[in-house]
Amino acid sequence: MTRTVNEELLEAAKKVLEANDRGGWTVPAADLYPHQWLWDSCFIAIGLRHLDVERAQTELTSLLRGQWSNGMLPNIVFAKGREYRRDHEIWRSYVSPYAPHDVPTTGITQPPLLAEAVFQIGQKLKLPERRSWYRQMYPHLLRFHEWLYNDRNPHKEGLIILIHPYESGLDSTPPWLSELRKHSMPWWVRFIERVHLDKLINKVRRDTRNVSAGQRMSNIEAMAYWAATLRLRRKAYNSEAILSRSLFAMEDLAFNCILIRANALLKEISAAIKKELPDQLQANMQRTEEALEQLWDDTTGQYYSRSFVSHKLIEESTIATLLPLYAGTIDDDRAKRLLELLKSSKWFGAPWPVPSVPLNSPYFDQFRYWQGPSWINTNWLIIDGLKRNGFDDEARELKDRTIELVAKSGMYEYFDPLHGQPAGAANFSWTAALTIDLLKN
Ligand code: GLC
């Protein structure tokens, strides 16, 4: 690719981030996502650090407005204003005694990428500024990681349990959809499905006003997810009360892989400012690394998410299958087996990789949200993971192909892995930010 093409791409990416800037924080996409999302802002900060380190720092500190007093970082910090009342009211974070009084948020979290973003910004700072940046963020990171272990690790096994698909960030990937069908379909949703009344729901869905329905989850799934949200709200987002009755909870593979990497980075951050992590947290971190290996199935040569209730692996392959590479703790043999899946044209080796479910999955649908399309954030995690495991050539190939995809099709939310067609929201912030990062690294 010529220099000018890359320069144009960089300019286009900067413009997207400028247009989506709401003054100290960035929306993932205008209209469709008008609030601040947790892992989006982490990816956005990773890109922004190349343009303006201070602005990147603000992207992360503004997330802390929403941190709950128990340490939880919510997946969404809502924009204020009457026009967003409906969103605030679905979640009603004020039902929990831990939610901030003046900032409406959801009551659930998202993948713990904050340590990665804090660390990446740190790499752009001179030593004294880096230390003061780490000192500023450390207490918040510590409370967040401690909350994960105190609140979402009831059997002390080391694997964090998610209580809503939105917490995984991969909202509609097959393991969540299959568990939904098994355990979490309210009778009235089944009824609506049986009598084909689901079309009526289009009237209240905002996402399908912005993006064509075939690129989002179905109305039935959207309704069942909404019902799952209301169940959490009724329990005031109290994890103990929720987990004592819930059948719809999971030891999510992607989330725990990201946590393993985040734990390693939190250790680096604490060492840089000469702070000792609490013993209990260190023991938990160690347990997570070991417990990841319980999610491996040798017959199929893959890791899976595990059901909280049955304690059985949910044998559905998804983009999460490749994220143990990013965790950075798996042995060479298992890493090689994942690399084979990435390259195989039956699995993840699509013309425009990496598809969010493998091409041979019955769920595969090239345009539908987390059930087929390639996403730039998961590509970014896999590129990092490939390097971490010594697969430098493959990392470079995937990086070049990812940049080519965005250059060809634009800063979209996701892409058809077969022909590289754009899908989802246009002018999507993390696509822009991570393109900048890939170009600059
Ligand atoms: C969708 C994605 C989620 C993302 C959010 C905002 O819900 O599934 O991962 O954080 O949009 O972009």
Side-chain angles (χ1 to χ4, degrees):
M1 219 180 277
T2 65
R3 218 177 115 73
T4 31
V5 173
N6 283 354
E7 276 169 4
E8 274 170 25
L9 200 55
L10 208 53
E11 267 320 297
K14 276 188 205 169
K15 285 214 178 88
V16 168
L17 293 179
E18 274 161 24
N20 291 345
D21 189 336
R22 294 293 175 270
W25 57 277
T26 310
V27 293
D31 302 330
L32 184 57
Y33 304 113
H35 310 289
Q36 183 176 23
W37 264 259
L38 175 53
W39 79 330
D40 294 67
S41 277
C42 294
F43 289 124
I44 291 164
I46 288 170
L48 273 176
R49 78 199 163 115
H50 299 288
L51 309 178
D52 178 349
V53 186
E54 259 180 53
R55 178 61 188 77
Q57 289 174 301
T58 315
E59 187 71 29
L60 300 187
T61 52
S62 63
L63 276 174
L64 306 178
R65 293 174 297 147
Q67 188 162 29
W68 286 25
S69 62
N70 60 2
M72 189 195 65
L73 283 168
N75 74 325
I76 306 177
V77 180
F78 289 116
K80 289 189 173 163
R82 287 183 67 81
E83 66 271 43
Y84 303 122
R85 275 276 292 281
R86 195 182 113 185
D87 295 343
H88 305 171
E89 276 304 296
I90 289 175
W91 287 92
R92 296 185 198 161
S93 49
Y94 53 79
V95 299
S96 166
Y98 302 115
H101 298 303
D102 49 346
V103 183
T105 71
T106 60
I108 57 170
T109 192
Q110 237 186 357
L113 261 151
L114 186 61
E116 174 80 88
V118 168
F119 181 81
Q120 295 286 350
I121 289 177
Q123 299 310 294
K124 285 276 177 189
L125 298 168
K126 296 214 181 75
L127 205 52
E129 287 85 31
R130 185 186 305 162
R131 287 213 184 102
S132 88
W133 167 239
Y134 287 170
R135 259 184 233 114
Q136 182 187 353
M137 295 304 282
Y138 176 74
H140 298 279
L141 277 169
L142 184 62
R143 281 171 51 226
F144 180 41
H145 285 232
E146 290 194 313
W147 172 79
L148 286 168
Y149 285 111
N150 291 338
D151 227 71
R152 298 299 189 81
N153 179 32
H155 303 325
K156 309 285 174 233
E157 290 173 320
L159 292 172
I160 299 306
I161 287 147
L162 303 189
I163 55 175
H164 194 291
Y166 291 163
E167 294 198 306
S168 73
L170 316 174
D171 306 356
S172 61
T173 41
W176 283 103
L177 291 182
S178 71
E179 290 295 288
L180 177 79
R181 290 269 164 199
K182 265 193 224 140
H183 301 299
S184 199
M185 273 290 189
W187 66 267
W188 54 271
V189 178
R190 285 191 202 281
F191 175 75
I192 292 176
E193 186 171 35
R194 196 154 6 102
V195 297
H196 306 292
L197 273 178
D198 43 310
K199 292 239 162 46
L200 288 179
I201 308 304
N202 285 336
K203 293 202 185 342
V204 290
R205 274 184 81 171
R206 187 175 52 207
D207 61 339
T208 46
R209 249 177 269 157
N210 291 291
V211 173
S212 89
Q215 298 180 11
R216 309 300 292 180
M217 49 176 125
S218 74
N219 282 344
I220 292 299
E221 287 153 12
M223 254 186 302
Y225 277 20
W226 177 68
T229 305
L230 298 192
R231 277 202 303 277
L232 303 183
R233 190 180 82 188
R234 278 199 293 277
K235 300 233 159 77
Y237 307 108
N238 176 321
S239 306
E240 207 179 318
I242 291 163
L243 287 172
S244 72
R245 299 282 306 262
S246 181
L247 298 173
F248 193 39
M250 196 184 291
E251 293 165 343
D252 183 89
L253 176 59
F255 193 101
N256 281 286
C257 289
I258 292 171
L259 177 62
I260 289 173
R261 181 81 195 116
N263 283 339
L265 290 166
L266 182 52
K267 279 185 200 160
E268 291 207 28
I269 290 168
S270 70
I273 55 172
K274 303 200 167 37
K275 293 259 187 204
E276 186 81 28
L277 288 170
D279 290 346
Q280 183 64 48
L281 180 61
Q282 293 198 42
N284 278 325
M285 288 174 163
Q286 182 61 31
R287 216 166 278 145
T288 307
E289 277 182 32
E290 288 158 15
L292 175 66
E293 299 311 319
Q294 296 168 17
L295 303 183
W296 173 261
D297 170 63
D298 207 51
T299 316
T300 53
Q302 295 181 38
Y303 293 87
Y304 297 103
S305 293
R306 187 163 67 182
S307 158
F308 172 58
V309 186
S310 70
H311 225 247
K312 291 210 173 95
L313 298 180
I314 304 164
E315 295 199 13
E316 296 290 354
S317 312
T318 73
I319 195 71
T321 307
L322 301 170
L323 293 185
L325 292 169
Y326 174 73
T329 52
I330 63 173
D331 69 30
D332 290 353
D333 179 54
R334 290 185 180 177
K336 278 198 196 106
R337 290 181 77 173
L338 297 187
L339 182 66
E340 281 162 25
L341 293 176
L342 174 67
K343 287 177 150 181
S344 159
S345 58
K346 281 203 204 109
W347 289 85
F348 293 98
W352 296 96
V354 182
S356 40
V357 306
L359 303 173
N360 58 4
S361 161
Y363 283 91
F364 179 80
D365 177 341
Q366 71 209 73
F367 283 110
R368 198 181 281 282
Y369 210 34
W370 290 105
Q371 281 166 255
S374 298
W375 292 68
I376 304 306
N377 67 328
T378 44
N379 277 17
W380 188 91
L381 294 170
I382 293 167
I383 292 165
D384 181 282
L386 288 168
K387 281 192 256 175
R388 200 161 298 291
N389 289 272
F391 305 130
D392 291 343
D393 292 344
E394 287 83 356
R396 207 170 309 113
E397 259 171 53
L398 180 56
K399 175 182 134 173
D400 291 347
R401 195 68 175 157
T402 304
I403 293 173
E404 223 180 298
L405 175 60
V406 180
K408 158 184 145 79
S409 297
M411 308 279 158
Y412 274 78
E413 189 181 3
Y414 41 91
F415 303 86
D416 154 25
L418 301 180
H419 305 101
Q421 295 300 308
N427 300 320
F428 193 67
S429 296
W430 82 38
T431 301
L434 296 177
T435 300
I436 295 173
D437 191 64
L438 294 177
L439 284 168
K440 293 273 187 184
N441 268 330

